[in-house]
Amino acid sequence: MSRIVLLYLLIPLALSSALAQQTHILSGYVRDSQSKEELPGATIQIQNLEKGTATNQDGYYSISVPEDSVTIVVTSIGYNTLTRRLLISKDTELIIELEMDEAQLEEVIIETDNYRERLGRSQMSTITITSKEAKLLPAIFGEVDLMKVLQLNPGIQSSGEGSSGIYVRGGGPDQNLFLLDQSTVYNPTHLFGFFSIFNSDAVKSIDLYKGAFPAQYGGRLSSVVDVETNNGNMQKLKGAGGIGIISSRLTLEGPIKKDKASFIISGRRTYFDIFTRVLNKAYEGKEDYSPIPDYYFYDMNGKIHWKVDSSNQLYLTGYYGNDVFGFTRGNFNFDFYWGNRNGSLRWDHTFSPKLSSQAYLILSDYTYKIVNKSSLFVFELSSKIRDYQSKIDFLYDLSPKHKVRFGGQYIHHQFRIGRIQAGSTDGSSSFSSGQDPQGNELGIYLNDNFDLGARWKFDVGMRWTAFINQAKIFNGLEPRVASRFKINEKISLKASYARMYQYVHLVANSGASLPTDMWYPSNRAVAPQVSDQVATGISFSLWDDKLFLSDEAYYKWMNRQIDFRDNAQIFGNDNLDQEFIFGRGYSYGNEVYLEKKSGKTTGWIGYTLSWTWRKFDQINQGRPFPARFDRRHDVSVVVMHKLSKRISISGTWVYGTGSATTLPIERFYLQDVAGSRLSAIPVYMERNSFRLAPYHRLDFGLVYKFTPKWGESDLTFSVYNAYNRRNPYFIYFDELVDKQTGVTTKYQAKQVSLFPFIPSVTYNFRF
């Protein structure tokens, strides 16, 4: 089998080398003419030839052209089209600068790709958004959040109000790989899931892969969220920010040396804690007053970009963020901290117009700590994961219709799992328990993207991964195949298959209301998770390329899924392996997506029909049961309209089938031996056999722009949950007691909801 795969890869290589003798590589960057910022998603077309390409996240392009006089047409939404005649006699590097089209900006939303280019890709099951698009949507508390925009797309579900994480095509929240300039982010949210750590002012774009994973990505089963931050303005100092009801932010960017090096720094902080402290102080000492807990978060992004010479560029990226939650009453002093630290050093090198590389040194760190202090006793519970990673990627343009990408990575994981430390304040006694394992993860890959004729395009890849822990070595091959058949210029068919391995697992205490999550490595007792996903789809460009319609169907198998046994002891357990049980999962569904991204009225409609199941021998008598996040129907409608040069309005409506849950159907009373006490014992049916009420919500937004002499500004008005829908958060049972006899007469189910109608306003500015 391996010989056949090798032969399959070598034959196109040989054919392409022969074809390449009469062609040359045209490559370079497409940039904004003013800021010199690279433009992702710009398209480069060769006039009178049916070929073209689009720039990647770094604004880089590479295309094979015949040895002749050719005319290139370069376009990017929001910029003037550039047409240029070139005489190609050798491999050529060309920097292209586009001028902003002010008139066009008044009527369109910036998009990172056009429909024809998307139809031409072999890649499917991907979503790309920019911060410019997200800022027109309504948001809770007036804060724009790119993660919330992702959740408005089919196949992606939020884990609900008041909790963090996303669910993609039936996978759990730990099965999503979040990358910030290639540094792994283990907890991508603030404020229990209401804000992501990705500051919209600092982010250039987000690519989400929910299937057909390119071979350079690995380590998770369900999705990859690849976040690229802005490089900074190389021409002049600029700034942006916003002042909202509960948070403010500020971003500064500019040249360190003009046309040579730039910086960008961005920070945010909430200040709701300032008001709660004033309120607590005013009511301090009053009877029956319960203090409001302190809560705030802050984060900071920074990046330096240095163009060393025409062949070398350096990027240094950093992120630091924390959530702080505290509560004090009498001798009870409770503090909870959690946050991420991320950094990456990247070196881009161009060997030739055909061969380039990107090398990385990366640090990722996620820590949480719970501290309880009293006058006599101190208790601390902590957990963390820290990664040291090195990575290199190569891109080789072999021929006009053939590109090869290959590379590898090494990650050293350090874990702290449920570490408990306790003792007296005078130091006379102490106690410590927990685990601190380590692990090493390796991966190498090869990806081959090639055309066969005018209609067929393939993306064929193979990734080998391994994990070493406790003298145990796991490894596996992860084949990836994606194909596209172009029926005509406006219709294409696509299909894909991908296998993924996951060697680190999220261990969550489902009974805790705070995010006490722990990451746990594969070992002798805990094998890596594995998924296989197949998908097929059809895409259309409609109405003179003003509409894009896609329909995708998928099926995903997930093996070695992890859960806890009943009454598992999680914290302070030096042998957590014995608390796990293992099973299987599978998910399947259909996703329909219709979008319009040009003109004064833009937006999209998404619909997902899906089923998600889990099967454990020790749960539900071994019968399959729906996962908690199984959602039969999921609908999102997003509309944005530009009323005038100053005013834009937007609205979103979402609907989802209620989450699956387990509830008792009856209770029986059990009397103790002495006959003096009755205990009500709940009786349950099958796991997750009940559904909460459907979730639906309508949000509105309005942006009013100002044109001050010093720059740009606007007021953003948002309404969250406009018709005040009381969506279910959880169900509890209220015990109704007869006042005369003191005997419980019945139990009544009651619903808890979190967020009613919430208006907000934010002042945003740029200079």
Side-chain angles (χ1 to χ4, degrees):
M1 179 66 182
S2 59
R3 293 181 179 178
I4 295 175
V5 173
L6 181 61
L7 183 63
Y8 173 73
L9 291 174
L10 289 177
I11 290 176
L13 289 173
L15 292 174
S16 299
S17 298
L19 291 173
Q21 295 176 0
Q22 299 177 359
T23 61
H24 299 287
I25 300 296
L26 176 65
S27 62
Y29 291 88
V30 178
R31 296 173 178 162
D32 184 300
S33 62
Q34 297 181 5
S35 67
K36 308 303 179 184
E37 181 89 2
E38 284 77 15
L39 300 176
T43 58
I44 298 92
Q45 299 285 337
I46 308 300
Q47 203 172 68
N48 299 326
L49 294 177
E50 290 188 4
K51 65 186 311 181
T53 189
T55 57
N56 62 15
Q57 284 187 327
D58 302 313
Y60 181 78
Y61 71 93
S62 177
I63 186 171
S64 296
V65 295
E67 185 174 321
D68 198 352
S69 178
V70 297
T71 299
I72 63 169
V73 180
V74 186
T75 59
S76 182
I77 299 295
Y79 291 84
N80 292 320
T81 299
L82 175 68
T83 303
R84 188 167 177 179
R85 188 76 173 172
L86 300 172
L87 179 61
I88 303 296
S89 59
K90 61 180 181 179
D91 291 344
T92 304
E93 294 184 46
L94 179 65
I95 304 298
I96 300 171
E97 295 187 352
L98 299 183
E99 295 183 354
M100 190 172 292
D101 184 351
E102 300 293 341
Q104 190 179 12
L105 280 174
E106 297 296 336
E107 297 188 358
V108 301
I109 297 170
I110 301 300
E111 58 176 318
T112 59
D113 50 14
N114 61 48
Y115 299 152
R116 293 294 182 92
E117 195 273 328
R118 289 164 67 176
L119 287 171
R121 297 179 193 165
S122 54
Q123 188 69 45
M124 63 183 300
S125 305
T126 61
I127 298 167
T128 299
I129 64 169
T130 67
S131 60
K132 292 181 180 179
E133 181 177 22
K135 287 179 179 179
L136 292 178
L137 296 177
I140 187 171
F141 302 132
E143 178 75 18
V144 172
D145 194 285
L146 301 176
M147 286 287 291
K148 297 300 182 186
V149 179
L150 286 177
Q151 293 168 14
L152 295 172
N153 287 270
I156 305 169
Q157 303 172 13
S158 71
S159 51
E161 293 177 336
S163 57
S164 60
I166 58 174
Y167 301 104
V168 179
R169 288 186 171 178
D174 66 319
Q175 296 174 353
N176 306 299
L177 177 64
F178 291 92
L179 299 173
L180 181 63
D181 286 341
Q182 297 304 303
S183 178
T184 303
V185 177
Y186 284 96
N187 186 346
T189 62
H190 289 301
L191 190 58
F192 310 109
F194 293 117
F195 294 101
S196 75
I197 71 163
F198 307 120
N199 188 335
S200 59
D201 290 335
V203 170
K204 181 188 296 184
S205 64
I206 294 182
D207 291 326
L208 184 142
Y209 302 86
K210 52 186 177 179
F213 305 103
Q216 64 264 31
Y217 297 112
R220 300 293 186 275
L221 301 189
S222 292
S223 77
V224 177
V225 182
D226 193 349
V227 181
E228 181 84 7
T229 60
N230 289 316
N231 293 332
N233 194 306
M234 284 201 170
Q235 299 302 302
K236 59 183 179 180
L237 181 67
K238 286 193 171 184
I243 302 172
I245 295 176
I246 67 166
S247 68
S248 290
R249 66 188 193 278
L250 178 64
T251 299
L252 295 174
E253 60 178 312
I256 299 174
K257 184 178 180 181
K258 195 172 182 179
D259 294 325
K260 193 73 173 177
S262 65
F263 78 92
I264 182 171
I265 185 168
S266 185
R268 293 185 298 177
R269 192 194 191 279
T270 58
Y271 34 74
F272 186 68
D273 58 305
I274 297 175
F275 303 111
T276 59
R277 289 172 188 173
V278 172
L279 190 63
N280 287 338
K281 189 173 182 180
Y283 285 88
E284 188 176 3
K286 293 188 177 182
E287 190 176 354
D288 296 329
Y289 175 69
S290 180
I292 303 172
D294 267 355
Y295 174 79
Y296 64 92
F297 76 76
Y298 60 89
D299 58 20
M300 180 173 291
N301 294 79
K303 190 172 187 179
I304 295 175
H305 176 204
W306 179 26
K307 296 179 180 178
V308 181
D309 54 40
S310 59
S311 299
N312 296 278
Q313 298 188 70
L314 292 175
Y315 303 82
L316 179 62
T317 301
Y319 171 83
Y320 184 89
N322 270 325
D323 286 62
V324 181
F325 183 94
F327 182 77
T328 302
R329 188 174 188 181
N331 289 326
F332 184 76
N333 189 336
F334 171 85
D335 292 301
F336 185 19
Y337 313 89
W338 70 96
N340 298 278
R341 296 109 181 90
N342 297 81
S344 64
L345 175 63
R346 170 180 150 194
W347 171 33
D348 287 6
H349 179 68
T350 303
F351 297 93
S352 70
K354 291 187 176 183
L355 179 63
S356 60
S357 68
Q358 294 178 340
Y360 299 86
L361 293 175
I362 299 169
L363 169 68
S364 301
D365 183 285
Y366 170 63
T367 304
Y368 82 78
K369 182 167 61 175
I370 301 173
V371 180
N372 182 20
K373 297 179 181 179
S374 68
S375 59
L376 300 176
F377 187 77
V378 177
F379 172 86
E380 179 180 301
L381 171 64
S382 61
S383 185
K384 73 180 299 180
I385 179 170
R386 176 178 291 175
D387 293 347
Y388 298 95
Q389 180 181 171
S390 59
K391 177 182 176 182
I392 189 165
D393 298 310
F394 293 92
L395 180 63
Y396 187 28
D397 289 337
L398 280 154
S399 72
K401 299 181 179 181
H402 202 162
K403 293 183 179 180
V404 173
R405 185 165 185 160
F406 59 95
Q409 67 179 148
Y410 165 75
I411 307 174
H412 176 67
H413 299 284
Q414 295 180 347
F415 302 85
R416 177 183 297 162
I417 303 172
R419 173 63 60 185
I420 292 179
Q421 294 176 299
S424 60
T425 54
D426 60 7
S428 59
S429 62
S430 63
F431 167 79
S432 179
S433 180
Q435 297 176 264
D436 298 294
Q438 299 186 20
N440 297 287
E441 186 173 348
L442 302 99
I444 57 174
Y445 75 91
L446 171 66
N447 198 85
D448 191 3
N449 184 285
F450 58 92
D451 293 357
L452 289 180
R455 296 181 182 271
W456 285 100
K457 189 178 185 69
F458 291 90
D459 214 328
V460 180
M462 181 66 74
R463 183 179 180 88
W464 175 81
T465 57
F467 190 84
I468 305 170
N469 182 30
Q470 296 180 344
K472 175 70 175 178
I473 300 177
F474 299 98
N475 71 93
L477 290 175
E478 303 177 21
R480 318 280 175 83
V481 181
S483 62
R484 179 226 68 200
F485 177 74
K486 187 182 291 187
I487 296 177
N488 54 45
E489 289 302 311
K490 295 190 175 184
I491 306 175
S492 63
L493 299 173
K494 298 184 181 183
S496 67
Y497 164 76
R499 164 167 284 199
M500 304 286 276
Y501 277 79
Q502 181 166 333
Y503 297 101
V504 296
H505 321 282
L506 185 64
V507 179
N509 181 6
S510 59
S513 58
L514 297 174
T516 51
D517 299 340
M518 298 176 289
W519 288 88
Y520 199 80
S522 297
N523 55 32
R524 292 190 184 98
V526 181
Q529 301 178 65
V530 186
S531 74
D532 294 273
Q533 182 180 162
V534 294
T536 61
I538 184 169
S539 301
F540 303 86
S541 180
L542 306 171
W543 196 18
D544 294 330
D545 295 333
K546 293 179 181 179
L547 294 177
F548 181 82
L549 174 65
S550 68
D551 188 349
E552 292 188 12
Y554 68 90
Y555 198 107
K556 179 160 63 176
W557 300 263
M558 293 168 283
N559 293 319
R560 305 169 190 166
Q561 299 299 283
I562 301 175
D563 205 337
F564 283 115
R565 65 174 178 83
D566 292 338
N567 304 312
Q569 176 60 41
I570 300 175
F571 300 110
N573 190 340
D574 291 327
N575 189 17
L576 197 59
D577 296 344
Q578 64 185 0
E579 308 293 342
F580 295 123
I581 58 175
F582 304 93
R584 296 183 291 113
Y586 50 99
S587 179
Y588 49 91
N590 189 78
E591 302 166 359
V592 181
Y593 182 67
L594 175 67
E595 75 171 357
K596 180 178 183 291
K597 282 196 172 182
S598 62
K600 290 187 175 182
T601 301
T602 59
W604 65 86
I605 299 173
Y607 170 69
T608 303
L609 173 67
S610 64
W611 289 261
T612 300
W613 300 91
R614 293 291 186 267
K615 187 178 186 298
F616 292 81
D617 291 340
Q618 300 90 336
I619 298 177
N620 208 46
Q621 299 180 354
R623 295 190 297 270
F625 59 91
R628 184 172 60 87
F629 44 89
D630 173 61
R631 187 176 295 176
R632 194 71 61 246
H633 305 284
D634 192 87
V635 182
S636 59
V637 180
V638 178
V639 178
M640 294 165 281
H641 181 70
K642 196 170 189 66
L643 291 172
S644 66
K645 292 182 178 180
R646 289 182 178 270
I647 303 175
S648 298
I649 58 174
S650 61
T652 64
W653 183 75
V654 295
Y655 172 89
T657 300
S659 299
T661 189
T662 305
L663 298 174
I665 59 170
E666 60 184 2
R667 284 175 169 82
F668 67 89
Y669 283 97
L670 183 67
Q671 192 174 42
D672 63 6
V673 176
S676 60
R677 184 178 179 181
L678 293 175
S679 299
I681 309 300
V683 177
Y684 293 92
M685 291 183 64
E686 294 191 350
R687 174 72 68 95
N688 292 342
S689 57
F690 287 90
R691 291 277 177 178
L692 298 180
Y695 182 99
H696 52 90
R697 191 188 76 241
L698 176 67
D699 304 333
F700 284 118
L702 184 147
V703 178
Y704 186 88
K705 292 185 177 181
F706 302 95
T707 55
K709 294 181 180 180
W710 46 263
E712 303 173 7
S713 65
D714 67 69
L715 276 175
T716 298
F717 302 91
S718 298
V719 175
Y720 181 87
N721 197 2
Y723 52 78
N724 200 30
R725 163 72 175 177
R726 305 301 287 172
N727 285 300
Y729 183 47
F730 64 85
I731 299 292
Y732 75 96
F733 286 86
D734 192 16
E735 187 177 2
L736 301 181
V737 180
D738 187 286
K739 294 181 180 180
Q740 294 181 348
T741 63
V743 177
T744 300
T745 57
K746 65 177 180 179
Y747 290 86
Q748 185 176 30
K750 292 188 176 181
Q751 174 182 295
V752 175
S753 301
L754 285 184
F755 293 105
F757 170 91
I758 301 177
S760 60
V761 60
T762 304
Y763 177 69
N764 302 294
F765 57 87
R766 300 184 67 89
F767 60 86

